[in-house]
Amino acid sequence: NVLFFRDQPELTAKQQIEFGRKFGPLHIHPNAAEHEKHPELFVIHTHGESVVNNGSDWHTDVSSDPEPPMATILQIHRTPSLGGDTIFANMYTAFDALSEPMKAYLSKLKALHDPERAHRGRFAEKGVDDTGRKFTNAIHPVVRTHPVSGRPVLFVNEGFTEEIIDMSYDESRSILGMLFDHVARNPGLQCRATWEPGT
């Protein structure tokens, strides 16, 4: 689910951390530059000379962690004069929209989520030298079951899902490519957020 709160006062770093802790222990990004005072915060700052644009591809935040974060809390401080929207995909609906044979087939599969392609060198302009570093990866079910609702949810993403376990490269890329296209090309699965200060 995605919730938007408009016209909010700007939270200080401490306030945002305190708000996040109401939902449980906070995740610390395993590969990005740490905030000098608050490692729980992941600061995204993009400018005209930026090499990296965080969120420019379909992804689930840090799905390459053995236990990915259960939620992300975002607040915007400054918006660009043009663009900058964020599109979210409902992966429950993405799973529901598949055929019954495909749902049954995918529900038996597991996939490798690896941050190598997404993160190697990505945070260099923020002072992170990851030369020679071994990134942590994880294997997750292609279809997960939400621990509270019990609903099945499609759990693959273009940013981190590298391959389906026990398949050839071509087989894996074909299935993953179909699923990535299914999510990216279907506006009925998506919600667009147009950012404004105070969101």
Side-chain angles (χ1 to χ4, degrees), residues 115-127:
E116 178 70 36
R117 180 172 43 87
H119 286 170
R120 179 69 65 191
R122 185 177 192 94
F123 306 106
E125 68 177 299
K126 295 185 176 174

Side-chain angles (χ1 to χ4, degrees), residues 3 13 19 22 37 51 58 69 90 113 142 156 163 174 191:
L3 301 174
F19 178 63
K22 295 183 184 302
K37 293 182 182 176
V51 177
W58 285 103
N90 185 327
H113 294 241
V142 170
V156 295
E163 63 181 85
S174 293
C191 173

Side-chain angles (χ1 to χ4, degrees), residues 31-94:
N31 303 321
E34 286 191 3
H35 187 285
E36 58 185 30
K37 293 182 182 176
H38 304 289
E40 305 93 335
L41 292 183
F42 177 50
V43 177
I44 298 172
H45 176 73
T46 306
H47 50 80
E49 305 301 316
S50 291
V51 177
V52 172
N53 174 12
N54 287 87
S56 60
D57 54 0
W58 285 103
H59 68 281
T60 299
D61 286 344
V62 207
S63 68
S64 53
D65 270 14
E67 188 176 341
M70 59 81 71
T72 300
I73 300 169
L74 304 169
Q75 74 164 309
I76 195 83
H77 293 281
R78 287 197 307 265
T79 58
S81 57
L82 182 66
D85 290 2
T86 301
I87 300 175
F88 297 90
N90 185 327
M91 301 303 275
Y92 292 116
T93 307

